[in-house]
Each structure stands twice: as structure tokens, then as C-alpha cells.
Amino acid sequence: MRILFVRPPVPPHTIGLKHIMICEPLELEYAAAGLEGHELQIMDMIIEKGFTKRLEKFKPDVVATSCYITGVNEVIKLCRETKLWNRNCLTIVGGTQASQVPEDFADPAIDCIVKGDGTSMMPEIIEALENGRSLTNIAGLAFPVGPGEVELTAGKAYMPKADDLPLPRRDLVAHLRHRYYYLQHQPVATMKTTWGCWYKCNFCYTWRITDGHPYSRSPESIVKELEQIQAEDVYIVDDIFLINRSRLRKLADLIKEKNIRKKYLVYARADFIAENEDVIAEWAALGLHAVFIGLEAATNSELDSMDKESTVDYNRRAIEVLRRHKIDTYGSLIPNPEYSKEDWERLWNFIEETGLYYVNISPLTPQPGTVIWDLYKDRVTVPREAHGLWDFSHVLLPTQMPLKKFYRNLMKLYAKTVLNISRAKRLTQRTLPSVWTWKYFRMLLGAMKIGRQFLNAHNHHSSKELKRAMYKGPEVPGLVYRPRSNQPVSIKSKSLVSIQPAVEAE
């Protein structure tokens, strides 16, 4: 079969990372990894254009795509465009948002929603299609049956043992390898060694996707992949990579034994860094250049309100440990929509006192599927269907200060932190390129583009812009939802009738 995997473009209203990073579509590389004997292509629409032309040229039997919350409408547009091209082409949607909130994809142009690990489930789906078997017998799927409604097949564990997964198919985007970067890290390869998380922060649903059970690869499996990665810079995208001392020590030994030389960007918790400086020292010698830390806040009361299980003291100590070993801190901060002028000043003082340069500042966003969703869902000021604004940059809750002023304070904090060249030279360790290089200019230009977006962000809340953000593309004439089951039970547990590709109205 011919299977086209597609990463959707970034929505026009979405603010942020698209201007300072484009990383490889690792989730699609994994989804393609188990499909031997088929014609496969990956189209990365953050970089590539011409989806309809690709359909006409490749003539896929299946189009598979995935996204985070911001990309839901873009995914629906792609599936609708696919059905306009050929209604017999099966459309499959997966990814973290599909796993946690499958009803977001309840559109008649979508045939099948994967709620689990695509690497292990795609071969099962394709085999069923080839043999004429109903997809409804496959556990871990969902099917749209009405607006905002899906019916689920039987439940199953999120994924098999992590070491049982094949390695991602990076060869399918080899022609784009030179286009992928993160800030000044280029070329950069992304890598995953753990799915899920050990902690239960109430603003995050990563731990819920895997039912609170993390799946981690062995050091031997990780080294096997590292040996095959061509890029010098490796971005390990686990929510927490630096967490298990024994695993990290064993992995370090194997990296030394294999004489693997890379530059690593990883995620870690502040408390682990503060309490395990010997591990940090060892990894600094191996090539650890930057660590992303969810600092989140400058007060313990804010951290407690997030169920962070950490403290501001740990935040400060972690930054100091990394600085001692010449490792850059990439810190994330979550200002509350109720911030006053004094709160913004306190956050700036924390940034200055700790010497942070690289920061990601994301207003508190209560995503569906998180613990705090039920607490905030009735206060959300942006429609759920305006997915492009759910980007952790737009503020979605009522603000204490005027909305425009809130965005101005957010933008000013970014500007004072990252647009100051003297701060950059004084505070960065290993990762800042010369200010006279293209990489630095690109990073600065990207930061200015983000600033421009924040200048206009308050306008995105107008009825006109919200309507644009909610647009899902032209509907497919005559296409209707799947038939419902005859059992009047909840959406989360309905059994299904046999499903085939899209049904046309008579």
C-alpha cells in the first residue's frame, strides 16, 4: 500500500516556536517505522508546500497525520482535502492530542483516530485493511460519529515495551535534514527515550496519556540509535531525561565505550539537578550543552498550586549547578493570568538574579485532559475550536490587567531577557553563536517576529479573528458521519459497528 504521512502546517494565529525552531517530525518517523513492505512518504508541511499535488503524484491509499492541540483544525483541513481528492483514501489521525482528546477530531473526513502508540498500531491497521477486516476489532481506536463525539474500541495499554519499538525512519526526511534546527543547533536530530512522566503536574497531561506509567528504553537501545544519528546535536525530547541515576550512569559508560561524541539538549527537573551534581558533571564531559528546566514560577505558592513537587530554592540551585559546569539553562516559566504589575516585576527579578537568558514564557493554559481543566473550563475566554490560539502563548483565561497590557508585559519580559546582546554574551555558556553569524541573526530575527506577534496578540481575541482560527476548511459534499452503535452508553465506552472508509449520503 502507498501511505503518506503528513505533518500539518503551523496555524496562522499560533505564536512562538515556529520562528526559532523546526525539528524533524519524529512522531511520523516512528509511525512509519513498523511498516515494512509498503511505499511510504513523509511530507513536512512546515517546510514543504503543495499537498494536493503530492496526493495526485503519489496517489496514497492512506493519509496519516498527527498534531498537538494547536494543529487540530489544520489536520481536519488536510483530511477534508484528501477526501475531496479521493473519498476512498483512508484518513488516520494520531498523536498526543488524539490520544487524550479524540473527540477534537470528530469530523466525517476522518476515518480513524489512534489513541495509542502509532508505531505499534499502524501495522495492525494496515494489515486489517489489506485483509478486508473491520478496524473496529482493533483495540485503542476511536471513530467520529457526530460533532464532538467519538466511539471507542476496547481499551489497551498505551504502547508495548519501549525497547520493542523499531528505530524511527529518519531516511524518509533525509532530503530535509539540513532544514531542521533548534535555535542555533543545526543540524539537529530529535530522539525519544521515554514516553510519559513520573510526576503529575496538574497543568500537563503527559503522564495521563500513558495512564501514569512511563515507558523507558534501555541504555543499550539508546546507544544503538545514537550510533546511527548523523547530526552532532541531539535533542532528546523526553519530558524528563535526567531522572534515573543508574540508567544515566550506565548510558554514560556505554557512550564512552562506543566513543560517541555528540552535543545534547535534554529536559530535567530542578530538584534532580540540584541533588545530583556528580551526574551533571559526568554528562557535561560527554557533551551536555543545554538543559530545559520547567522552572515555572518564582514563588513556592505558585509551584504548589501546580502540584510541581519542587521549590524555588531547587530552581536557583539547579541553575547554579548547570552554570558551574558550563551548561546553558533553557527555562520555562508560567505566569498566571491574574498577574499584577508587581508579579511581572518579581518574575523579572528572578530572571535577573538567576542569570537566565534562554526562556520560554507561557501563560497558564488549562488544556482539556489535564487535572486543572475542570477547574477552569467555565472561565476560558477562547473557544475550544479556535485551536491555533491554544499555543501556550495566548492567554485563555480572564486577566486582572487589561488584556492588551498583559500581552505587553509578556512581550517586554521577553525583550529584556533575550534581545539584550550584552546579557547574551555575559550569561550564556556553550550554545550562543557569535553575534556576527547567520545563526545568531536568525535567532534574533525569530525573537523579533515573536515580539511582533505578541504586539498583535490581543487582536486575535476579536470575533473576526476567532472565527478565522476556528475554520476547518471546506466541507466535503455528501460526506456524513459513521453510523452509531445501538447501545446507548457513554462516548468513552460505546461498542462499534463495522467501519469502512468514508460514507457518502445517498
Side-chain angles (χ1 to χ4, degrees):
M1 298 187 77
R2 289 187 297 273
I3 305 166
L4 178 63
F5 293 91
V6 186
R7 175 155 74 173
V10 178
H13 291 89
T14 297
I15 297 173
L17 294 178
K18 64 181 178 181
H19 296 305
I20 56 174
M21 63 164 283
I22 303 174
C23 291
E24 63 187 299
L26 185 64
E27 69 286 357
L28 298 182
E29 296 169 7
Y30 261 115
L35 295 172
E36 296 183 3
H38 298 279
E39 283 188 67
L40 309 176
Q41 287 189 7
I42 292 178
M43 183 178 189
D44 188 344
M45 292 191 66
I46 294 180
I47 297 175
E48 300 177 285
K49 308 298 180 185
F51 179 59
T52 301
K53 288 184 179 179
R54 179 68 69 94
L55 291 174
E56 292 171 348
K57 183 176 182 180
F58 185 54
K59 295 180 172 55
D61 302 296
V62 176
V63 169
T65 182
S66 72
C67 67
Y68 296 102
I69 188 170
T70 53
V72 171
N73 290 344
E74 302 307 310
V75 159
I76 293 173
K77 288 176 188 176
L78 290 174
C79 292
R80 288 182 175 184
E81 190 169 347
T82 299
K83 292 298 185 182
L84 285 169
W85 169 72
N86 181 358
R87 299 190 186 203
N88 292 320
C89 181
L90 193 86
T91 53
I92 303 174
V93 174
T96 57
Q97 188 67 12
S99 293
Q100 193 64 18
V101 195
E103 59 269 26
D104 273 0
F105 301 93
D107 188 88
I110 294 173
D111 291 309
C112 174
I113 302 166
V114 177
K115 280 180 52 62
D117 163 58
T119 313
S120 56
M121 294 188 67
M122 279 298 293
E124 195 173 356
I125 293 170
I126 299 304
E127 182 182 1
L129 289 173
E130 288 186 310
N131 292 293
R133 296 197 305 268
S134 172
L135 299 184
T136 61
N137 296 321
I138 299 175
L141 299 181
F143 300 92
V145 294
E149 294 186 70
V150 295
E151 291 185 329
L152 309 183
T153 60
K156 62 179 293 185
Y158 178 75
M159 63 184 286
K161 292 180 179 179
D163 276 8
D164 291 342
L165 296 180
L167 296 181
R169 290 287 306 274
R170 291 190 174 87
D171 59 296
L172 294 175
V173 291
H175 61 293
L176 301 174
R177 188 176 297 142
H178 65 291
R179 302 284 298 275
Y180 295 128
Y181 71 98
Y182 190 104
L183 294 174
Q184 63 281 353
H185 305 277
Q186 187 179 20
V188 62
T190 53
M191 182 177 181
K192 199 167 184 66
T193 78
T194 294
W195 288 255
C197 185
W198 290 263
Y199 290 83
K200 295 178 172 58
C201 301
N202 60 27
F203 58 87
C204 178
Y205 63 36
T206 297
W207 59 275
R208 284 191 152 189
I209 292 174
T210 60
D211 296 321
H213 173 69
Y215 296 79
S216 291
R217 295 167 61 186
S218 67
E220 292 80 6
S221 169
I222 297 168
V223 166
K224 180 181 178 182
E225 183 174 359
L226 282 173
E227 289 183 299
Q228 298 181 18
I229 290 176
Q230 297 180 18
E232 183 182 22
D233 287 34
V234 178
Y235 174 21
I236 299 178
V237 297
D238 308 358
D239 281 68
I240 309 176
F241 175 72
L242 301 177
I243 186 170
N244 185 318
R245 280 183 62 91
S246 61
R247 178 175 181 253
L248 291 167
R249 283 286 174 82
K250 178 65 181 299
L251 180 56
D253 289 342
L254 290 173
I255 288 173
K256 294 173 191 173
E257 180 184 314
K258 300 288 186 178
N259 196 31
I260 296 172
R261 300 183 182 277
K262 301 289 185 185
K263 298 176 182 177
Y264 301 99
L265 301 81
V266 307
Y267 288 83
R269 280 179 59 92
D271 50 2
F272 181 90
I273 295 170
E275 298 289 350
N276 295 274
E277 186 166 354
D278 58 329
V279 175
I280 302 304
E282 182 174 30
W283 275 84
L286 290 174
L288 182 58
H289 275 222
V291 175
F292 303 81
I293 309 178
L295 302 169
E296 321 307 10
T299 67
N300 286 329
S301 60
E302 288 176 275
L303 292 175
D304 290 342
S305 72
M306 300 176 192
D307 295 339
K308 188 66 183 179
E309 298 184 49
S310 190
T311 65
V312 174
D313 179 62
Y314 272 134
N315 285 347
R316 293 178 181 274
R317 288 169 55 192
I319 296 168
E320 291 170 1
V321 167
L322 294 178
R323 183 172 291 114
R324 277 198 292 272
H325 297 282
K326 299 189 181 302
I327 300 169
D328 279 309
T329 298
Y330 292 3
S332 74
L333 299 164
I334 303 179
N336 193 292
E338 297 179 357
Y339 262 24
S340 64
K341 179 182 178 181
E342 292 72 27
D343 293 317
W344 286 109
E345 289 175 351
R346 183 179 60 248
L347 193 56
W348 164 244
N349 289 336
F350 173 78
I351 291 172
E352 271 287 83
E353 291 167 6
T354 56
L356 285 173
Y357 174 70
Y358 298 107
V359 294
N360 181 55
I361 307 168
S362 302
L364 180 66
T365 301
Q367 286 195 92
T370 62
V371 172
I372 61 171
W373 173 245
D374 286 337
L375 178 65
Y376 287 107
K377 64 182 180 181
D378 294 331
R379 298 174 55 194
V380 169
T381 58
V382 172
R384 279 277 289 107
E385 295 79 9
H387 295 287
L389 274 69
W390 290 69
D391 55 5
F392 301 94
S393 291
H394 286 88
V395 59
L396 309 180
L397 296 169
T399 55
Q400 184 182 103
M401 57 177 56
L403 184 63
K404 183 176 180 179
K405 191 173 182 180
F406 183 94
Y407 279 120
R408 289 293 190 271
N409 276 276
L410 180 55
M411 184 190 68
K412 288 176 183 176
L413 187 59
Y414 263 129
K416 288 192 293 185
T417 303
V418 302
L419 295 182
N420 186 324
I421 294 178
S422 66
R423 287 190 90 250
K425 291 181 176 179
R426 176 167 49 91
L427 299 175
T428 56
Q429 304 295 322
R430 301 188 183 191
T431 60
L432 187 75
S434 167
V435 296
W436 305 112
T437 62
W438 159 245
K439 287 184 179 181
Y440 184 79
F441 176 74
R442 180 182 61 193
M443 186 172 69
L444 202 62
L445 182 63
M448 288 190 289
K449 287 181 178 179
I450 293 171
R452 183 178 179 182
Q453 284 186 297
F454 275 121
L455 275 174
N456 296 305
H458 63 285
N459 293 322
H460 295 168
H461 295 254
S462 69
S463 57
K464 177 182 177 181
E465 292 303 315
L466 290 175
K467 184 177 180 179
R468 284 186 60 212
M470 294 167 67
Y471 181 60
K472 300 176 181 179
E475 295 185 359
V476 183
L479 206 61
V480 298
Y481 285 100
R482 306 290 181 247
R484 297 172 183 270
S485 68
N486 296 320
Q487 300 176 355
V489 293
S490 69
I491 292 173
K492 294 296 182 183
S493 60
K494 286 181 180 176
S495 60
L496 298 167
V497 296
S498 179
I499 302 294
Q500 298 299 328
V503 177
E504 293 187 48
E506 295 182 357

